[in-house]
Amino acid sequence: MDIRISRGYKLTEEIVRWRLEILIEDSADAWISFTNPTAGPWKRLVGRDNSGASGEVMRFTREADRPDLVIVDDKARRIFILEAKDDAKGLCAKEQITKTVRTFNDLTASLKKISSNKYWGGRSAYDFIPGLVWGSSPAEAIADEKLVRDSHAARFLGLDPVCLQIIRLESGELTVREISKGEKLLLR
Amino acid sequence: MRPDPTFGTLLFAFVAILIFLIVMSGMPEIELWADSFHEGTWVAQGIVSEMDSPSCARENELGFIPRYKINGKGWKLDLVVFGGYGNWPHIPDKIAELIQWGKPDIIAYDRKTDTVLFAVEETAAVPTGNQALQRCERMHGAGMMKVPFWYLLSQYGTHVDEGIRQASPWPALMSMGITKSQHAPNLVLLYSSVEEPEDYSKGAGKQQLFAILAAIMVNFAKGRPTLSGTEKLLETQYRAMLKFIDDTIENVSDYFPGKDELTAKETPLRLAKIAAGNSSEDIPLLDWPKFARLPIYFKERQKRAKLIKHDAFLSKLEEMKDNHSVYTLSTNAGSRPQPVSDLSDWIASQINTEERAPAIRPPVGFRLKIADFPESKAGLRHVTTATNILYLCDSAKDIARLLGLVFPRLKKRLTMDSLPAIVYVSNSVKPGRIFGDPYTGQFSAFSWIFGGTSNARRIKIAYFPHQSRGLLKPEIAGKNKGQTVFISLADYIIFGGGAVYDTKSKIWI
C-alpha cells in the first residue's frame, strides 16, 4: 500500500466502525444486525429466522438516534449495541455519553418488546450489552482506556460496556484490542 | 580482484524492484471511492455478480481497505475501495471537483490515466414529493464533467399518508437533458414494485446498474474504451426510463413537447448511441416552445392564478399568462404555512442580514414583516406566493421590463437578452434555506430540463422574494455547494427588494 495512504489516512469513526465489522464478518459466532451507514436498504435492523434467512425486524425513523452497530451472538445469547467514535475524546464528550446511554436504553427497550417477528424470534430474551469502540494509537491506548472507563462508569445501570480499541500501528495497519471487563464480544 | 558483494546485492535488488514494477504496472486497478465502505463493497460485489463467472478473492489491506482481486477469462482486475471521501490524503483532484457538487455514493477512478469512469447515486429514501429531487445536483455535477452517471431510485414508496406513490419523473427528465447536451450516459434506473415498495430485489434497476458497471470494468481490464459494446445495455435502460417518463409526466406537467419522440420505438437506441459517443444527432426532446406553439388545450389552461401571499413581480408574471407570453406546467402545488414564532425569527434574521450586506446603488429597500404573510385557518402564516414555482417565458426582455416596473431601482439598469427564459421561485423565508435541499436539486433539474439544450436555450432566473442578498457570497461560493449550484446555473439571481446578481458578469445590479 502506498506509504502516503498508509501513513496519511484519517482514523475516523467510519474506519473505526468498519474495521470492527470486518472482524465480526469473519467471526463464526457473531453477526451484524445493524450498521449505521448501510448501502441499499438502510436504517433497518435485521434479524435471522430459523433457516438463517435475513429479514427486517424494525427500522429507525429519520430523526431517531441510532447506534453505530448492533451485533448479535446467538451462541452466547447476547446483543451488543455499540457506539463508535474517531477517538476516546469524542466518545467521552458529555453530550455524547448522554446520547450513547439514551440510545442504548431506548433500543434495548424496543428490542425487548419484539416477540412476534420471525426474524427476531426469541432474541428479546437475550442479554443486552452496551459497547464502546474508538480509534487509538499504541502510545495513547492506556490513557484512552482510562478516560473511557472513568467517563462511562456507572452510566449503564450496572452493566459494564464492552470496550474495543482500534489501534493504528506505525505501518498504518489497524488492529483491534478488546479491553472489556465484563461481558466480552470478541474474546471468549 | 574480487567483485564487490555490495554492488552485486544492489544490482540484484534493483533488477528485482524493476521486475516488480513492470509486473505491477500491468495489473489493471480501479479505485472505488465511496461515501462509506458499505457503499463501496456493495457496488464491488454487485459488479462481480454480473461478470461472467470470474474468480474473486477479497483482501483487506492494512486490515480494513478492501481489495477485490478478480480473474476473468483472459483478463484481471483489482478493485480497491476507499470509504469516506474525507478520510484519505490521496483523493484525486477530479474526484474532489466532482464531489463539490454533492457526494455521489460511488465514483470509479483510474489513477494511471486520471480518469473518472463513472459515478453512482442510490437511495432507499421514499421517492415522493421533493425527495427524488434532493440528489439532482449530483447528477448535475456529473453532467457538467461528462462523467457517466447512474441514479438508482425506488420507483414506489409509502407516503406518510400510507398510500403508495410513484417517484417523480423530474430526475429522469434531467437525465434525458444531460444525455442530449453532454453526450454522456446519465440515467435513472428504477427498482421496487407496487406490492413491494422500496424492495431492491424487485424491478430491473439494480441488475441493470451492475450489468453496465460490470461491462465498463471488463472494458477497462481489457484495455477497451469505457463504453465499448454497451449500446444494447444502454438502450434497454433508456427504454425503461422513457417509459417511466411517459407513465408519470402528467403528475408534474399537463403538457410535454416531443411526446411522439418520447414513445417512438427507436428513440432509446438513438439516445444510447448519443450517450455512448456513437452519434451526435439532436433528438427533438425537451424543446419547450414559446407560447404561440403550445397545443390549444394547454394554451386555454393558462390563466392568471391568484397568489396566496401577494408578490408584485409574480402577480405581473401571472398576468403575462393572460397575455400569452408566459406559461406554467401544472396547478397542483400547495402551501405549507409556518408557525408565527419561526417566521418572526427568520424575518428578524433576514433584516439583520440585509442591514449588514455591502451597500449597492441604488439602495435595495428590502423589507419583510409578519403582517405581509396571510394567516391560515390553523393560525399559521402562509409563505407561499404563487403556487407555481416555475414559469416559462417567451422573452427574458419581458422579465427585465416587469422587474423594472416592480422594482424602480432596476428601471433602465437591468437589461436581458430576448431569448426565452425560465423563472424559478422559492418562497422560503428561513435564511439560507434556498441553498440547501430540495432547492438546489430542483434548480439543477429544471435547468437541464428547461434551459440546457442547444435547440431551446433559455435564460435561467432564480427569484427569492423573501431572502436577503446578504446571504449570497459569490466570493466563497466554491466552498458552499448550494451557492455553487445557483451561481453556476442561473443567469440572474433576484433577492428581496429587487437586488439582482448577474452571475455571468459577476456583478450586483
Side-chain angles (χ1 to χ4, degrees), chain B residues 291-318:
Chain B
F291 195 102
R293 287 179 47 217
L294 293 173
I296 292 174
Y297 79 89
F298 190 63
K299 279 185 196 175
E300 287 172 351
R301 291 183 196 178
Q302 301 303 320
K303 301 270 184 257
R304 173 180 20 177
K306 280 178 72 173
L307 271 57
I308 297 177
K309 172 191 174 284
H310 175 71
D311 180 272
F313 170 61
L314 293 174
S315 289
K316 292 215 174 295
L317 210 53
E318 285 286 339

PDB file of all heavy atoms in Angstrom, chain B residues 291-318:
ATOM      1  N   PHE B 291     -45.001  30.372 -26.314  1.00  0.00           N
ATOM      2  CA  PHE B 291     -46.441  30.238 -26.066  1.00  0.00           C
ATOM      3  C   PHE B 291     -47.224  29.929 -27.338  1.00  0.00           C
ATOM      4  O   PHE B 291     -48.092  29.063 -27.361  1.00  0.00           O
ATOM      5  CB  PHE B 291     -46.968  31.528 -25.413  1.00  0.00           C
ATOM      6  CG  PHE B 291     -48.321  31.365 -24.798  1.00  0.00           C
ATOM      7  CD1 PHE B 291     -48.471  31.213 -23.429  1.00  0.00           C
ATOM      8  CD2 PHE B 291     -49.478  31.344 -25.593  1.00  0.00           C
ATOM      9  CE1 PHE B 291     -49.719  31.056 -22.845  1.00  0.00           C
ATOM     10  CE2 PHE B 291     -50.734  31.182 -25.017  1.00  0.00           C
ATOM     11  CZ  PHE B 291     -50.860  31.030 -23.638  1.00  0.00           C
ATOM     12  N   ALA B 292     -46.900  30.626 -28.431  1.00  0.00           N
ATOM     13  CA  ALA B 292     -47.702  30.504 -29.656  1.00  0.00           C
ATOM     14  C   ALA B 292     -47.738  29.074 -30.192  1.00  0.00           C
ATOM     15  O   ALA B 292     -48.705  28.671 -30.842  1.00  0.00           O
ATOM     16  CB  ALA B 292     -47.153  31.457 -30.717  1.00  0.00           C
ATOM     17  N   ARG B 293     -46.677  28.300 -29.888  1.00  0.00           N
ATOM     18  CA  ARG B 293     -46.611  26.951 -30.459  1.00  0.00           C
ATOM     19  C   ARG B 293     -47.129  25.880 -29.500  1.00  0.00           C
ATOM     20  O   ARG B 293     -46.974  24.687 -29.769  1.00  0.00           O
ATOM     21  CB  ARG B 293     -45.173  26.650 -30.878  1.00  0.00           C
ATOM     22  CG  ARG B 293     -44.762  27.428 -32.140  1.00  0.00           C
ATOM     23  CD  ARG B 293     -43.329  27.164 -32.560  1.00  0.00           C
ATOM     24  NE  ARG B 293     -43.037  25.746 -32.567  1.00  0.00           N
ATOM     25  CZ  ARG B 293     -41.870  25.216 -32.196  1.00  0.00           C
ATOM     26  NH1 ARG B 293     -40.884  25.993 -31.796  1.00  0.00           N
ATOM     27  NH2 ARG B 293     -41.670  23.917 -32.230  1.00  0.00           N
ATOM     28  N   LEU B 294     -47.737  26.293 -28.415  1.00  0.00           N
ATOM     29  CA  LEU B 294     -48.321  25.309 -27.498  1.00  0.00           C
ATOM     30  C   LEU B 294     -49.605  24.743 -28.097  1.00  0.00           C
ATOM     31  O   LEU B 294     -50.281  25.427 -28.873  1.00  0.00           O
ATOM     32  CB  LEU B 294     -48.649  25.978 -26.150  1.00  0.00           C
ATOM     33  CG  LEU B 294     -47.467  26.455 -25.311  1.00  0.00           C
ATOM     34  CD1 LEU B 294     -47.975  27.246 -24.105  1.00  0.00           C
ATOM     35  CD2 LEU B 294     -46.617  25.285 -24.841  1.00  0.00           C
ATOM     36  N   PRO B 295     -49.970  23.513 -27.734  1.00  0.00           N
ATOM     37  CA  PRO B 295     -51.259  22.989 -28.202  1.00  0.00           C
ATOM     38  C   PRO B 295     -52.396  23.804 -27.598  1.00  0.00           C
ATOM     39  O   PRO B 295     -52.277  24.349 -26.493  1.00  0.00           O
ATOM     40  CB  PRO B 295     -51.287  21.547 -27.697  1.00  0.00           C
ATOM     41  CG  PRO B 295     -50.223  21.460 -26.669  1.00  0.00           C
ATOM     42  CD  PRO B 295     -49.232  22.538 -26.915  1.00  0.00           C
ATOM     43  N   ILE B 296     -53.514  23.839 -28.292  1.00  0.00           N
ATOM     44  CA  ILE B 296     -54.626  24.709 -27.907  1.00  0.00           C
ATOM     45  C   ILE B 296     -55.138  24.372 -26.512  1.00  0.00           C
ATOM     46  O   ILE B 296     -55.370  25.268 -25.689  1.00  0.00           O
ATOM     47  CB  ILE B 296     -55.761  24.609 -28.948  1.00  0.00           C
ATOM     48  CG1 ILE B 296     -55.277  25.229 -30.261  1.00  0.00           C
ATOM     49  CG2 ILE B 296     -57.023  25.310 -28.444  1.00  0.00           C
ATOM     50  CD1 ILE B 296     -56.236  25.068 -31.417  1.00  0.00           C
ATOM     51  N   TYR B 297     -55.276  23.081 -26.220  1.00  0.00           N
ATOM     52  CA  TYR B 297     -55.848  22.703 -24.929  1.00  0.00           C
ATOM     53  C   TYR B 297     -54.984  23.249 -23.786  1.00  0.00           C
ATOM     54  O   TYR B 297     -55.493  23.657 -22.730  1.00  0.00           O
ATOM     55  CB  TYR B 297     -55.971  21.167 -24.797  1.00  0.00           C
ATOM     56  CG  TYR B 297     -54.673  20.452 -24.443  1.00  0.00           C
ATOM     57  CD1 TYR B 297     -54.298  20.261 -23.115  1.00  0.00           C
ATOM     58  CD2 TYR B 297     -53.817  19.988 -25.451  1.00  0.00           C
ATOM     59  CE1 TYR B 297     -53.100  19.638 -22.791  1.00  0.00           C
ATOM     60  CE2 TYR B 297     -52.623  19.364 -25.128  1.00  0.00           C
ATOM     61  CZ  TYR B 297     -52.271  19.191 -23.801  1.00  0.00           C
ATOM     62  OH  TYR B 297     -51.086  18.564 -23.485  1.00  0.00           O
ATOM     63  N   PHE B 298     -53.694  23.258 -24.018  1.00  0.00           N
ATOM     64  CA  PHE B 298     -52.771  23.701 -22.972  1.00  0.00           C
ATOM     65  C   PHE B 298     -52.771  25.229 -22.880  1.00  0.00           C
ATOM     66  O   PHE B 298     -52.709  25.791 -21.779  1.00  0.00           O
ATOM     67  CB  PHE B 298     -51.372  23.158 -23.266  1.00  0.00           C
ATOM     68  CG  PHE B 298     -50.388  23.349 -22.145  1.00  0.00           C
ATOM     69  CD1 PHE B 298     -50.575  22.746 -20.907  1.00  0.00           C
ATOM     70  CD2 PHE B 298     -49.262  24.147 -22.314  1.00  0.00           C
ATOM     71  CE1 PHE B 298     -49.680  22.921 -19.872  1.00  0.00           C
ATOM     72  CE2 PHE B 298     -48.354  24.326 -21.283  1.00  0.00           C
ATOM     73  CZ  PHE B 298     -48.563  23.714 -20.057  1.00  0.00           C
ATOM     74  N   LYS B 299     -52.877  25.894 -24.027  1.00  0.00           N
ATOM     75  CA  LYS B 299     -52.951  27.368 -24.011  1.00  0.00           C
ATOM     76  C   LYS B 299     -54.163  27.806 -23.206  1.00  0.00           C
ATOM     77  O   LYS B 299     -54.101  28.761 -22.430  1.00  0.00           O
ATOM     78  CB  LYS B 299     -53.122  27.895 -25.440  1.00  0.00           C
ATOM     79  CG  LYS B 299     -51.861  28.001 -26.259  1.00  0.00           C
ATOM     80  CD  LYS B 299     -52.217  28.665 -27.589  1.00  0.00           C
ATOM     81  CE  LYS B 299     -51.114  28.462 -28.593  1.00  0.00           C
ATOM     82  NZ  LYS B 299     -51.453  28.974 -29.924  1.00  0.00           N
ATOM     83  N   GLU B 300     -55.261  27.098 -23.417  1.00  0.00           N
ATOM     84  CA  GLU B 300     -56.521  27.519 -22.775  1.00  0.00           C
ATOM     85  C   GLU B 300     -56.460  27.379 -21.262  1.00  0.00           C
ATOM     86  O   GLU B 300     -57.236  28.022 -20.549  1.00  0.00           O
ATOM     87  CB  GLU B 300     -57.692  26.703 -23.345  1.00  0.00           C
ATOM     88  CG  GLU B 300     -58.057  27.121 -24.761  1.00  0.00           C
ATOM     89  CD  GLU B 300     -59.084  26.204 -25.403  1.00  0.00           C
ATOM     90  OE1 GLU B 300     -59.407  25.134 -24.820  1.00  0.00           O
ATOM     91  OE2 GLU B 300     -59.542  26.559 -26.515  1.00  0.00           O
ATOM     92  N   ARG B 301     -55.547  26.561 -20.786  1.00  0.00           N
ATOM     93  CA  ARG B 301     -55.423  26.415 -19.323  1.00  0.00           C
ATOM     94  C   ARG B 301     -54.582  27.522 -18.704  1.00  0.00           C
ATOM     95  O   ARG B 301     -54.514  27.663 -17.490  1.00  0.00           O
ATOM     96  CB  ARG B 301     -54.770  25.080 -18.981  1.00  0.00           C
ATOM     97  CG  ARG B 301     -55.639  23.901 -19.286  1.00  0.00           C
ATOM     98  CD  ARG B 301     -54.981  22.619 -18.858  1.00  0.00           C
ATOM     99  NE  ARG B 301     -55.666  21.497 -19.501  1.00  0.00           N
ATOM    100  CZ  ARG B 301     -55.330  20.232 -19.373  1.00  0.00           C
ATOM    101  NH1 ARG B 301     -54.297  19.909 -18.625  1.00  0.00           N
ATOM    102  NH2 ARG B 301     -55.999  19.286 -19.991  1.00  0.00           N
ATOM    103  N   GLN B 302     -53.908  28.285 -19.505  1.00  0.00           N
ATOM    104  CA  GLN B 302     -53.011  29.313 -18.984  1.00  0.00           C
ATOM    105  C   GLN B 302     -53.814  30.553 -18.615  1.00  0.00           C
ATOM    106  O   GLN B 302     -54.088  31.413 -19.443  1.00  0.00           O
ATOM    107  CB  GLN B 302     -51.925  29.652 -20.017  1.00  0.00           C
ATOM    108  CG  GLN B 302     -51.066  28.470 -20.437  1.00  0.00           C
ATOM    109  CD  GLN B 302     -50.373  27.801 -19.261  1.00  0.00           C
ATOM    110  OE1 GLN B 302     -49.886  28.465 -18.348  1.00  0.00           O
ATOM    111  NE2 GLN B 302     -50.338  26.478 -19.266  1.00  0.00           N
ATOM    112  N   LYS B 303     -54.191  30.593 -17.364  1.00  0.00           N
ATOM    113  CA  LYS B 303     -54.958  31.750 -16.878  1.00  0.00           C
ATOM    114  C   LYS B 303     -54.236  32.286 -15.653  1.00  0.00           C
ATOM    115  O   LYS B 303     -53.679  31.522 -14.859  1.00  0.00           O
ATOM    116  CB  LYS B 303     -56.378  31.324 -16.454  1.00  0.00           C
ATOM    117  CG  LYS B 303     -57.202  30.682 -17.553  1.00  0.00           C
ATOM    118  CD  LYS B 303     -57.981  31.738 -18.321  1.00  0.00           C
ATOM    119  CE  LYS B 303     -58.878  31.081 -19.353  1.00  0.00           C
ATOM    120  NZ  LYS B 303     -58.355  31.178 -20.698  1.00  0.00           N
ATOM    121  N   ARG B 304     -54.325  33.593 -15.488  1.00  0.00           N
ATOM    122  CA  ARG B 304     -53.710  34.208 -14.321  1.00  0.00           C
ATOM    123  C   ARG B 304     -54.263  33.553 -13.058  1.00  0.00           C
ATOM    124  O   ARG B 304     -55.476  33.459 -12.880  1.00  0.00           O
ATOM    125  CB  ARG B 304     -54.033  35.705 -14.321  1.00  0.00           C
ATOM    126  CG  ARG B 304     -53.577  36.387 -13.053  1.00  0.00           C
ATOM    127  CD  ARG B 304     -53.873  37.857 -13.010  1.00  0.00           C
ATOM    128  NE  ARG B 304     -54.906  38.319 -13.903  1.00  0.00           N
ATOM    129  CZ  ARG B 304     -55.319  39.576 -13.937  1.00  0.00           C
ATOM    130  NH1 ARG B 304     -54.778  40.465 -13.134  1.00  0.00           N
ATOM    131  NH2 ARG B 304     -56.264  39.953 -14.772  1.00  0.00           N
ATOM    132  N   ALA B 305     -53.375  33.090 -12.183  1.00  0.00           N
ATOM    133  CA  ALA B 305     -53.813  32.454 -10.936  1.00  0.00           C
ATOM    134  C   ALA B 305     -53.672  33.435  -9.790  1.00  0.00           C
ATOM    135  O   ALA B 305     -52.816  34.319  -9.818  1.00  0.00           O
ATOM    136  CB  ALA B 305     -52.971  31.206 -10.670  1.00  0.00           C
ATOM    137  N   LYS B 306     -54.503  33.238  -8.796  1.00  0.00           N
ATOM    138  CA  LYS B 306     -54.412  34.106  -7.614  1.00  0.00           C
ATOM    139  C   LYS B 306     -53.213  33.698  -6.773  1.00  0.00           C
ATOM    140  O   LYS B 306     -52.896  32.505  -6.678  1.00  0.00           O
ATOM    141  CB  LYS B 306     -55.683  33.965  -6.766  1.00  0.00           C
ATOM    142  CG  LYS B 306     -56.854  34.778  -7.299  1.00  0.00           C
ATOM    143  CD  LYS B 306     -58.087  34.583  -6.461  1.00  0.00           C
ATOM    144  CE  LYS B 306     -57.963  35.268  -5.114  1.00  0.00           C
ATOM    145  NZ  LYS B 306     -59.224  35.227  -4.361  1.00  0.00           N
ATOM    146  N   LEU B 307     -52.592  34.664  -6.174  1.00  0.00           N
ATOM    147  CA  LEU B 307     -51.483  34.374  -5.277  1.00  0.00           C
ATOM    148  C   LEU B 307     -52.008  34.201  -3.858  1.00  0.00           C
ATOM    149  O   LEU B 307     -52.996  34.817  -3.469  1.00  0.00           O
ATOM    150  CB  LEU B 307     -50.466  35.518  -5.315  1.00  0.00           C
ATOM    151  CG  LEU B 307     -49.363  35.424  -6.373  1.00  0.00           C
ATOM    152  CD1 LEU B 307     -49.924  35.307  -7.770  1.00  0.00           C
ATOM    153  CD2 LEU B 307     -48.427  36.604  -6.255  1.00  0.00           C
ATOM    154  N   ILE B 308     -51.318  33.360  -3.103  1.00  0.00           N
ATOM    155  CA  ILE B 308     -51.715  33.180  -1.701  1.00  0.00           C
ATOM    156  C   ILE B 308     -51.188  34.362  -0.887  1.00  0.00           C
ATOM    157  O   ILE B 308     -51.931  35.012  -0.139  1.00  0.00           O
ATOM    158  CB  ILE B 308     -51.189  31.838  -1.154  1.00  0.00           C
ATOM    159  CG1 ILE B 308     -51.837  30.675  -1.939  1.00  0.00           C
ATOM    160  CG2 ILE B 308     -51.459  31.713   0.330  1.00  0.00           C
ATOM    161  CD1 ILE B 308     -51.339  29.305  -1.553  1.00  0.00           C
ATOM    162  N   LYS B 309     -49.918  34.614  -1.018  1.00  0.00           N
ATOM    163  CA  LYS B 309     -49.350  35.831  -0.418  1.00  0.00           C
ATOM    164  C   LYS B 309     -48.988  36.746  -1.585  1.00  0.00           C
ATOM    165  O   LYS B 309     -48.420  36.306  -2.567  1.00  0.00           O
ATOM    166  CB  LYS B 309     -48.108  35.505   0.407  1.00  0.00           C
ATOM    167  CG  LYS B 309     -47.364  36.767   0.894  1.00  0.00           C
ATOM    168  CD  LYS B 309     -46.005  36.417   1.470  1.00  0.00           C
ATOM    169  CE  LYS B 309     -45.228  37.704   1.801  1.00  0.00           C
ATOM    170  NZ  LYS B 309     -44.682  38.360   0.611  1.00  0.00           N
ATOM    171  N   HIS B 310     -49.300  37.994  -1.458  1.00  0.00           N
ATOM    172  CA  HIS B 310     -49.058  38.912  -2.566  1.00  0.00           C
ATOM    173  C   HIS B 310     -47.570  39.096  -2.853  1.00  0.00           C
ATOM    174  O   HIS B 310     -46.751  39.178  -1.935  1.00  0.00           O
ATOM    175  CB  HIS B 310     -49.672  40.283  -2.244  1.00  0.00           C
ATOM    176  CG  HIS B 310     -49.355  41.299  -3.299  1.00  0.00           C
ATOM    177  ND1 HIS B 310     -49.914  41.261  -4.559  1.00  0.00           N
ATOM    178  CD2 HIS B 310     -48.493  42.356  -3.310  1.00  0.00           C
ATOM    179  CE1 HIS B 310     -49.428  42.258  -5.282  1.00  0.00           C
ATOM    180  NE2 HIS B 310     -48.581  42.942  -4.554  1.00  0.00           N
ATOM    181  N   ASP B 311     -47.247  39.104  -4.154  1.00  0.00           N
ATOM    182  CA  ASP B 311     -45.915  39.466  -4.587  1.00  0.00           C
ATOM    183  C   ASP B 311     -46.086  40.209  -5.914  1.00  0.00           C
ATOM    184  O   ASP B 311     -46.676  39.683  -6.864  1.00  0.00           O
ATOM    185  CB  ASP B 311     -45.025  38.227  -4.787  1.00  0.00           C
ATOM    186  CG  ASP B 311     -43.629  38.581  -5.238  1.00  0.00           C
ATOM    187  OD1 ASP B 311     -43.418  38.703  -6.472  1.00  0.00           O
ATOM    188  OD2 ASP B 311     -42.756  38.771  -4.380  1.00  0.00           O
ATOM    189  N   ALA B 312     -45.577  41.423  -5.968  1.00  0.00           N
ATOM    190  CA  ALA B 312     -45.841  42.283  -7.127  1.00  0.00           C
ATOM    191  C   ALA B 312     -45.271  41.694  -8.413  1.00  0.00           C
ATOM    192  O   ALA B 312     -45.931  41.690  -9.462  1.00  0.00           O
ATOM    193  CB  ALA B 312     -45.270  43.678  -6.876  1.00  0.00           C
ATOM    194  N   PHE B 313     -44.064  41.189  -8.344  1.00  0.00           N
ATOM    195  CA  PHE B 313     -43.437  40.646  -9.552  1.00  0.00           C
ATOM    196  C   PHE B 313     -44.186  39.410 -10.040  1.00  0.00           C
ATOM    197  O   PHE B 313     -44.489  39.276 -11.233  1.00  0.00           O
ATOM    198  CB  PHE B 313     -41.964  40.314  -9.279  1.00  0.00           C
ATOM    199  CG  PHE B 313     -41.299  39.533 -10.375  1.00  0.00           C
ATOM    200  CD1 PHE B 313     -41.183  40.046 -11.665  1.00  0.00           C
ATOM    201  CD2 PHE B 313     -40.793  38.262 -10.146  1.00  0.00           C
ATOM    202  CE1 PHE B 313     -40.580  39.323 -12.694  1.00  0.00           C
ATOM    203  CE2 PHE B 313     -40.182  37.526 -11.154  1.00  0.00           C
ATOM    204  CZ  PHE B 313     -40.081  38.061 -12.435  1.00  0.00           C
ATOM    205  N   LEU B 314     -44.512  38.506  -9.125  1.00  0.00           N
ATOM    206  CA  LEU B 314     -45.192  37.276  -9.539  1.00  0.00           C
ATOM    207  C   LEU B 314     -46.618  37.568 -10.004  1.00  0.00           C
ATOM    208  O   LEU B 314     -47.144  36.871 -10.880  1.00  0.00           O
ATOM    209  CB  LEU B 314     -45.170  36.247  -8.407  1.00  0.00           C
ATOM    210  CG  LEU B 314     -43.771  35.711  -8.089  1.00  0.00           C
ATOM    211  CD1 LEU B 314     -43.794  34.801  -6.869  1.00  0.00           C
ATOM    212  CD2 LEU B 314     -43.178  34.965  -9.270  1.00  0.00           C
ATOM    213  N   SER B 315     -47.239  38.608  -9.437  1.00  0.00           N
ATOM    214  CA  SER B 315     -48.568  38.996  -9.932  1.00  0.00           C
ATOM    215  C   SER B 315     -48.473  39.370 -11.404  1.00  0.00           C
ATOM    216  O   SER B 315     -49.306  38.970 -12.219  1.00  0.00           O
ATOM    217  CB  SER B 315     -49.102  40.197  -9.164  1.00  0.00           C
ATOM    218  OG  SER B 315     -49.452  39.840  -7.862  1.00  0.00           O
ATOM    219  N   LYS B 316     -47.456  40.131 -11.723  1.00  0.00           N
ATOM    220  CA  LYS B 316     -47.281  40.564 -13.125  1.00  0.00           C
ATOM    221  C   LYS B 316     -46.936  39.363 -14.017  1.00  0.00           C
ATOM    222  O   LYS B 316     -47.368  39.284 -15.163  1.00  0.00           O
ATOM    223  CB  LYS B 316     -46.185  41.616 -13.213  1.00  0.00           C
ATOM    224  CG  LYS B 316     -46.587  42.933 -12.537  1.00  0.00           C
ATOM    225  CD  LYS B 316     -46.029  44.129 -13.248  1.00  0.00           C
ATOM    226  CE  LYS B 316     -46.553  45.434 -12.675  1.00  0.00           C
ATOM    227  NZ  LYS B 316     -47.993  45.617 -12.869  1.00  0.00           N
ATOM    228  N   LEU B 317     -46.174  38.461 -13.478  1.00  0.00           N
ATOM    229  CA  LEU B 317     -45.821  37.282 -14.256  1.00  0.00           C
ATOM    230  C   LEU B 317     -47.084  36.460 -14.547  1.00  0.00           C
ATOM    231  O   LEU B 317     -47.270  35.944 -15.663  1.00  0.00           O
ATOM    232  CB  LEU B 317     -44.808  36.451 -13.466  1.00  0.00           C
ATOM    233  CG  LEU B 317     -43.792  35.625 -14.242  1.00  0.00           C
ATOM    234  CD1 LEU B 317     -43.038  36.473 -15.251  1.00  0.00           C
ATOM    235  CD2 LEU B 317     -42.786  34.994 -13.269  1.00  0.00           C
ATOM    236  N   GLU B 318     -47.947  36.351 -13.565  1.00  0.00           N
ATOM    237  CA  GLU B 318     -49.213  35.634 -13.769  1.00  0.00           C
ATOM    238  C   GLU B 318     -50.061  36.334 -14.836  1.00  0.00           C
ATOM    239  O   GLU B 318     -50.726  35.689 -15.648  1.00  0.00           O
ATOM    240  CB  GLU B 318     -49.988  35.522 -12.448  1.00  0.00           C
ATOM    241  CG  GLU B 318     -49.425  34.492 -11.473  1.00  0.00           C
ATOM    242  CD  GLU B 318     -49.700  33.046 -11.880  1.00  0.00           C
ATOM    243  OE1 GLU B 318     -50.631  32.803 -12.669  1.00  0.00           O
ATOM    244  OE2 GLU B 318     -48.966  32.153 -11.411  1.00  0.00           O
TER     245      GLU B 318
END
